[in-house]
Amino acid sequence: MTTLVFGHKAPDTDSTGSPIIWSWYLNEIKGTPAKPVLLGEPNTEAAFVLERWSLEKPEIISDVAADTPVVIVDTNNPAELPADINAADIRAIIDHHKLVGGLETKGPIDIRIEPVACTATIMYKMIGDDLAQAPTGIKGAMLSCILSDTLEFRSPTTTQEDKAIAYALAKDLGVDITEYAAEMFAAKSDVSAFSDAELIRMDSKEYEVEGKKFRVSVLETTAPQIPLDRKDSLMESFKTVEAEDGVDQVLLFVVDIIKEEATLLVPNDLVKTVAEKSFGATVDGDTVVLPGIMSRKKQIIPNLKL
Amino acid sequence: MTTLVFGHKAPDTDSTGSPIIWSWYLNEIKGTPAKPVLLGEPNTEAAFVLERWSLEKPEIISDVAADTPVVIVDTNNPAELPADINAADIRAIIDHHKLVGGLETKGPIDIRIEPVACTATIMYKMIGDDLAQAPTGIKGAMLSCILSDTLEFRSPTTTQEDKAIAYALAKDLGVDITEYAAEMFAAKSDVSAFSDAELIRMDSKEYEVEGKKFRVSVLETTAPQIPLDRKDSLMESFKTVEAEDGVDQVLLFVVDIIKEEATLLVPNDLVKTVAEKSFGATVDGDTVVLPGIMSRKKQIIPNLKL
């Protein structure tokens, strides 16, 4: 039976590229039949990466049948996975997020979670010397995942390992990191085709603070003016998304990758309080700039207060 | 702040030795102050191993204060850990059991779980070349953990990696594996000092089948007659343990390491049904021999039916 390899819902570059990388490793090196799949349409950056490295877009699935062998990458959160995930035959988990609990396996399996910026960084180490056999597209996917998750090393989640591996891959591939990252971020910034609700849910995680459920959404972009020009309409759509998703409040951070700052939309007094208490910001109007804030994992979630 | 390193409650050799091994690694190689502790009195085999390799018996603790940095080894099951474990600052998890869910971490941490027989096997690989700097006692603890968890390679949980590493360590230490394992198993078999309830809880895990809670207890021994001579008294004590621990039924398997078989005590029709349905056994009387059954993880738990 073919092992399905997938990342989280609303796949970004790491959740699109890492399943492709690991499926290559399982098929070609380990001799285990495997197939990458996606739990949703890849974002515009991930779509660019597939095209750039001539990688086939994986099939999109929404459920896994019971007892299907699966490898989960780039998440260990059941909320970001198919509803019936614990009925699958989970064979391995490779991830770089905090352990949230909730996944269960039938027997002991391979689990590797490390506090690095990117799943592909861990895979690079696990694959080791066998990477020499990888086609260009696999190495290109790895480099893309690291540049995406580290925001070209600007994110405070970046480790020395992520950097060293990205530079080694770029050298091997003959890729100029600055030029290539700029192309990736331009693709990610091209969000004109998305509805407000799609933008809000594109890169979003639920998080509870003092009994209140937040949907913490991030838009990483080199062109912040594109989403900010739509701020009135976006804030109006918060209410619909909140009602549909059963959360109390959307927090939307527009992260300017170049200026290394985030702009938080402030539709009401609750978000104003969050901005003041969490980031020491002085809020005047319906947006507030938070200098240096780039990472939901390292800077936003750990500081959320109300 | 010193990092506490510990395994599961009712510590066996792996849960006693692995914290000592990893604390050595953190202190001496990583420069992170660390201290091994135990969540209970080590079993007789683990006590023998400490003595044999002149290792200091770690302090026994029952709680960890909030925000204490901890490394959890040889389990990922909150039921086998201090009640307040999720309030600790969990820094790493190294384990070889199935993921049960329930542990949560505040941020991304190092988690390494592999389907090998023993935690020390994983540590051997993680420590790598730095093991050359380890004192004899650390290597002796590693070898002991592997021989204990694999029942000298007889358990079906044994992998090629466990074996290869044990042979490498034995060669390095100049230890005859067969002789040394016999000494360890003799120590484990010396259970005369324990009460019935202590024997039942010594190596025991809770497991639910069709809404019924079982306490699945295993006594690995080279002298099965010692516990079997006490079977009437042991079965009488099942009721007390069941009432105190809130389980429906104790299942006690006396595993004969030499003959590679288990004897299950059969105090009532429920256990008779379990023996028949799970292992295809024909039960006649208050014990039944199950040929080839050695491993709770691989052979008992996955087959339990009623």
Side-chain angles (χ1 to χ4, degrees):
Chain A
M1 220 160 143
T2 301
T3 299
L4 299 184
V5 186
F6 49 81
H8 55 72
K9 291 178 186 172
D12 57 5
T13 297
D14 198 22
S15 263
T16 302
S18 292
I20 294 174
I21 296 162
W22 202 247
S23 296
W24 168 79
Y25 180 63
L26 290 179
N27 279 314
E28 303 302 324
I29 305 295
K30 295 303 220 178
T32 303
K35 177 184 154 181
V37 293
L38 297 173
L39 301 184
E41 199 61 46
N43 72 13
T44 50
E45 183 189 79
F48 164 80
V49 167
L50 292 175
E51 176 106 6
R52 166 67 181 79
W53 297 100
S54 305
L55 296 163
E56 200 183 330
K57 183 176 131 184
E59 186 190 332
I60 297 174
I61 63 163
S62 52
D63 295 306
V64 284
D67 300 319
T68 307
V70 305
V71 171
I72 298 168
V73 303
D74 196 28
T75 182
N76 68 81
N77 187 348
E80 300 178 346
L81 291 163
D84 43 3
I85 188 66
N86 278 328
D89 178 10
I90 305 173
R91 295 287 176 89
I93 302 170
I94 306 169
D95 187 22
H96 64 114
H97 294 89
K98 69 175 183 171
L99 193 65
V100 296
L103 282 186
E104 293 167 26
T105 64
K106 294 175 183 38
I109 64 163
D110 275 302
I111 301 180
R112 182 103 159 217
I113 303 181
E114 295 187 14
V116 293
C118 176
T119 308
T121 300
I122 306 169
M123 291 180 173
Y124 182 95
K125 295 195 290 174
M126 294 177 80
I127 294 173
D129 294 340
D130 290 323
L131 193 67
Q133 299 175 50
T136 301
I138 295 301
K139 295 176 188 170
M142 272 187 170
L143 174 62
S144 308
C145 291
I146 301 175
L147 294 177
S148 172
D149 269 7
T150 63
L151 299 173
E152 199 193 349
F153 318 132
R154 293 177 180 95
S155 170
T157 59
T158 310
T159 67
Q160 290 297 328
E161 275 186 321
D162 297 296
K163 269 194 191 179
I165 291 168
Y167 280 111
L169 287 164
K171 190 174 170 223
D172 184 2
L173 290 163
V175 165
D176 180 298
I177 280 185
T178 308
E179 272 175 32
Y180 178 57
E183 288 178 62
M184 282 174 54
F185 300 153
K188 178 150 56 179
S189 305
D190 178 17
V191 294
S192 49
F194 295 101
S195 71
D196 291 331
E198 284 170 336
L199 275 190
I200 293 166
R201 293 194 180 105
M202 188 170 288
D203 181 359
S204 184
K205 289 190 198 283
E206 288 186 19
Y207 188 73
E208 208 170 303
V209 183
E210 294 173 31
K212 275 218 186 306
K213 276 191 185 167
F214 290 93
R215 185 175 256 301
V216 184
S217 301
V218 166
L219 281 178
E220 296 162 347
T221 176
T222 50
Q225 215 47 53
I226 296 176
L228 290 176
D229 281 346
R230 287 164 64 174
K231 72 180 160 62
D232 294 340
S233 159
L234 279 164
M235 287 192 280
E236 195 54 39
S237 298
F238 282 9
K239 296 167 198 161
T240 319
V241 169
E242 285 155 8
E244 285 179 7
D245 297 354
V247 299
D248 296 305
Q249 181 65 53
V250 168
L251 299 174
L252 178 59
F253 297 82
V254 178
V255 172
D256 185 329
I257 303 174
I258 306 301
K259 288 172 84 173
E260 305 196 8
E261 65 183 26
T263 301
L264 173 63
L265 303 198
V266 186
N268 56 38
D269 282 350
L270 173 61
V271 179
K272 185 167 185 264
T273 306
V274 168
E276 289 169 349
K277 293 212 180 166
S278 310
F279 307 104
T282 309
V283 182
D284 179 24
D286 58 4
T287 61
V288 60
V289 173
L290 308 170
I293 299 296
M294 310 276 287
S295 164
R296 176 172 47 213
K297 184 152 86 175
K298 282 260 188 181
Q299 298 170 302
I300 297 174
I301 296 280
N303 288 316
L304 275 193
K305 291 176 206 73
L306 59 99
Chain B
M1 219 161 147
T2 301
T3 299
L4 299 184
V5 186
F6 49 81
H8 55 71
K9 290 178 187 172
D12 56 6
T13 297
D14 197 22
S15 263
T16 302
S18 292
I20 294 173
I21 296 162
W22 203 247
S23 296
W24 167 79
Y25 180 63
L26 289 179
N27 279 313
E28 302 303 324
I29 305 295
K30 294 303 220 178
T32 303
K35 178 184 154 181
V37 293
L38 298 173
L39 301 184
E41 199 61 47
N43 72 12
T44 51
E45 183 189 81
F48 163 80
V49 167
L50 292 175
E51 176 106 7
R52 166 67 180 78
W53 297 99
S54 307
L55 296 163
E56 199 182 330
K57 182 176 132 183
E59 186 190 331
I60 296 174
I61 64 163
S62 52
D63 295 304
V64 284
D67 300 318
T68 307
V70 305
V71 171
I72 298 169
V73 303
D74 196 28
T75 181
N76 69 82
N77 187 349
E80 301 178 347
L81 291 163
D84 43 4
I85 188 66
N86 278 329
D89 178 11
I90 307 173
R91 295 288 177 90
I93 302 169
I94 307 168
D95 185 25
H96 64 114
H97 294 90
K98 69 175 183 173
L99 192 65
V100 296
L103 282 187
E104 293 168 27
T105 65
K106 293 175 184 38
I109 64 164
D110 275 302
I111 301 180
R112 183 103 157 213
I113 303 181
E114 295 187 15
V116 294
C118 176
T119 307
T121 300
I122 306 170
M123 291 180 174
Y124 181 95
K125 295 194 291 173
M126 293 177 81
I127 293 173
D129 293 342
D130 291 322
L131 193 68
Q133 298 176 50
T136 301
I138 295 302
K139 295 176 188 170
M142 270 187 173
L143 174 62
S144 308
C145 291
I146 300 175
L147 294 177
S148 172
D149 270 6
T150 62
L151 300 172
E152 198 193 348
F153 317 132
R154 293 178 181 94
S155 169
T157 59
T158 310
T159 66
Q160 290 296 329
E161 276 187 321
D162 297 296
K163 270 195 192 178
I165 291 169
Y167 279 111
L169 287 164
K171 190 175 170 222
D172 184 4
L173 291 162
V175 165
D176 180 298
I177 280 184
T178 308
E179 272 176 32
Y180 178 57
E183 288 179 62
M184 282 176 51
F185 299 152
K188 178 151 56 183
S189 305
D190 178 17
V191 294
S192 49
F194 295 100
S195 72
D196 291 332
E198 284 170 335
L199 276 189
I200 293 165
R201 292 194 181 105
M202 187 170 290
D203 181 359
S204 184
K205 287 188 200 286
E206 288 187 18
Y207 188 73
E208 208 169 304
V209 184
E210 294 174 31
K212 275 217 186 303
K213 277 190 184 169
F214 291 93
R215 187 175 253 302
V216 184
S217 301
V218 165
L219 280 180
E220 296 163 348
T221 177
T222 50
Q225 214 47 52
I226 297 177
L228 290 176
D229 280 346
R230 286 164 66 174
K231 71 179 161 66
D232 292 341
S233 158
L234 279 165
M235 285 191 282
E236 194 55 37
S237 298
F238 281 9
K239 295 167 199 159
T240 318
V241 169
E242 285 155 5
E244 285 179 6
D245 298 354
V247 299
D248 295 305
Q249 181 65 53
V250 168
L251 300 175
L252 179 59
F253 297 82
V254 178
V255 172
D256 185 329
I257 302 174
I258 307 300
K259 288 172 84 173
E260 304 196 9
E261 65 183 27
T263 301
L264 172 63
L265 304 197
V266 185
N268 55 37
D269 282 350
L270 173 61
V271 179
K272 184 166 186 267
T273 306
V274 168
E276 290 169 349
K277 292 211 180 168
S278 311
F279 306 104
T282 309
V283 181
D284 180 25
D286 59 4
T287 61
V288 59
V289 173
L290 307 170
I293 300 295
M294 311 276 287
S295 164
R296 175 172 47 212
K297 184 152 87 174
K298 282 260 191 183
Q299 298 170 304
I300 297 175
I301 294 281
N303 287 318
L304 275 193
K305 292 176 206 72
L306 61 98

